[in-house]
Amino acid sequence: MLSRLRRGTAAAGLALVAVLGVGSWASADAQTPLTGPPPGTAAWRADTSLGVPLPDPGSARPAEVAAFFAGLPAAQRESLAVRHPQVVGNLDGAPVALRLRANALAVEEEREHQRQRAGDTALPSAERAAAAAKADRYGGLAHRALLAFDPRGRGQVAEVFGDLEHDERTAVLVPGSDTDLATYDRPSAAGYDTLAGMARSLRAASGDRVAVVAWAGYTTPVGLGVDAAREELAEAGAERLDRLLAGLAPVTGRVELFCHSYGSVVCGRSAPDPALVAGVVAVASPGMGLERADELRVPVWAVRRNAGDWVGDVPNVSLLGFGHGTDPTSGAFRARLLPSTGSHGHGGYFAPGSASLAAFAALALTATTNA
């Protein structure tokens, strides 16, 4: 028995070394999760124009926010969006159409701010160049359906593909490492291996019947660093995801969650509410921070990995705060398995014509609106 214990300890130690011993793990940038209320909250809290307190962005539940806006005339809603676009645009529970309007205003405000900085000769040339690049980036977001927009740090965003209020079903895509405001829809030769590309591909595969939210709404790891091996960023992201889903529920009913790579850790840590989530799909997952699928209260699917997906080389361990537990595609995890024929690589599971994309569309279309 002692020898078995020693062998098990040695195996766990070797797995940890495998996780931490790769050079890129140590060299990647450590990230601090973006938490708390959105920019502009101080001015929002000080606003007494309506004669009543506005719901606090840091503590009000989405249901409370929804009830507050439901009691306002349309003109007062619009006035709040114009005066406080970054708060309203990121306020879970606010009406969807109002959030889209507010974020359009917030993007334009931030674009103009960066354009002014780009022309400020008192700033160092590097800062001016960075500001010009941001202004161009924000210009590219004009006329997009943004459910969230936060330019702080690496930036966060949520874009809607389709119509949340009228399409038959809704899916939410939760991305993994290296996804932020600048990269979520970066140009791609494949066209379906970025977060926005995955969203477009899923919507098209559904026959444009499923509204898809591409949610880059949490601080993701950068590279394959220590952050990617631990779950602190996932824990912070899970809280933000839970608020998003609670805010959407009155409009969309239950949604299907598609969780890619480290995003599957976020979904695993979020403990999805069956009243809000019809099911969770783990795609290219290094583990969900769980030992078994039935630790969640909703059905869990896992996509069989294709031969070119490097995540299959990640050790499925959970030791001293590193690793994400059982392989979701293993028999021990007990998830429902989905095919991956026709996919390729870590980001290729949403490839048109693949068996995985067809399965995703079928699941999204069968997500029910009743708990």
Side-chain angles (χ1 to χ4, degrees):
M1 181 175 180
L2 181 59
S3 62
R4 288 198 301 272
L5 177 61
R6 286 173 176 166
R7 286 197 300 271
T9 303
L14 288 171
L16 183 59
V17 169
V19 171
L20 300 180
V22 180
S24 61
W25 289 92
S27 62
D29 295 330
Q31 300 293 300
T32 299
L34 184 62
T35 58
T41 293
W44 169 272
R45 288 170 172 162
D47 190 333
T48 59
S49 61
L50 300 187
V52 295
L54 306 182
D56 191 293
S59 60
R61 293 180 292 110
E64 295 171 336
V65 172
F68 170 79
F69 278 99
L72 294 181
Q76 291 184 346
R77 296 185 195 180
E78 175 71 10
S79 176
L80 287 176
V82 171
R83 291 202 305 278
H84 308 284
Q86 290 203 7
V87 173
V88 175
N90 292 288
L91 195 57
D92 293 308
V96 167
L98 193 68
R99 290 182 68 172
L100 300 184
R101 161 76 169 141
N103 282 317
L105 295 173
V107 167
E108 186 54 39
E109 282 187 4
E110 190 62 21
R111 181 189 185 193
E112 182 57 30
H113 172 64
Q114 295 300 332
R115 289 174 67 179
Q116 291 177 6
R117 295 188 74 244
D120 186 350
T121 56
L123 293 175
S125 58
E127 289 189 26
R128 294 171 60 193
K134 285 185 177 180
D136 287 345
R137 172 73 181 127
Y138 300 148
L141 295 177
H143 311 299
R144 306 278 280 270
L146 300 185
L147 192 65
F149 169 75
D150 190 335
R152 293 177 297 174
R154 290 161 53 204
Q156 298 184 359
V157 65
E159 183 172 357
V160 179
F161 296 85
D163 187 334
L164 288 175
E165 297 182 282
H166 299 102
D167 285 339
E168 294 179 31
R169 300 287 186 263
T170 301
V172 175
L173 304 191
V174 182
S177 296
D178 299 311
T179 306
D180 53 35
L181 180 57
T183 65
Y184 88 98
D185 66 342
R186 66 187 184 278
S188 163
Y192 49 78
D193 54 353
T194 65
L195 177 62
M198 293 175 186
R200 293 186 185 97
S201 191
L202 178 57
R203 176 162 173 77
S206 76
D208 292 342
R209 296 161 60 194
V210 173
V212 184
V213 179
W215 182 73
Y218 77 105
T219 303
T220 65
V222 171
L224 297 179
V226 171
D227 284 339
R230 296 183 61 86
E231 296 182 358
E232 284 85 354
L233 295 183
E235 292 281 1
E239 293 183 14
R240 298 174 78 88
L241 178 61
D242 286 341
R243 289 186 61 85
L244 171 86
L245 299 176
L248 289 178
V251 175
T252 65
R254 297 201 299 166
V255 306
E256 195 77 30
L257 283 179
F258 292 87
C259 314
H260 182 260
S261 196
Y262 188 84
S264 67
V265 188
V266 177
C267 292
R269 305 317 297 169
S270 72
D273 184 342
L276 309 178
V277 176
V280 173
V281 183
V283 186
S285 173
M288 300 184 71
L290 309 170
E291 293 306 307
R292 288 187 8 178
D294 59 11
E295 293 178 48
L296 297 183
R297 297 177 293 163
V298 300
V300 179
W301 286 265
V303 184
R304 297 181 186 274
R305 290 191 199 91
N306 62 60
D309 189 349
W310 56 261
V311 84
D313 297 327
V314 174
N316 291 110
V317 298
S318 182
L319 180 67
L320 303 178
F322 292 89
H324 306 304
T326 308
D327 178 357
T329 66
S330 69
F333 192 73
R334 302 186 183 180
R336 310 175 193 190
L337 296 182
L338 298 175
S340 62
T341 306
S343 69
H344 50 86
H346 188 61
Y349 293 91
F350 288 78
S354 65
S356 46
L357 179 61
F360 298 161
L363 282 175
L365 284 167
T366 56
T368 57
T369 56
N370 298 311

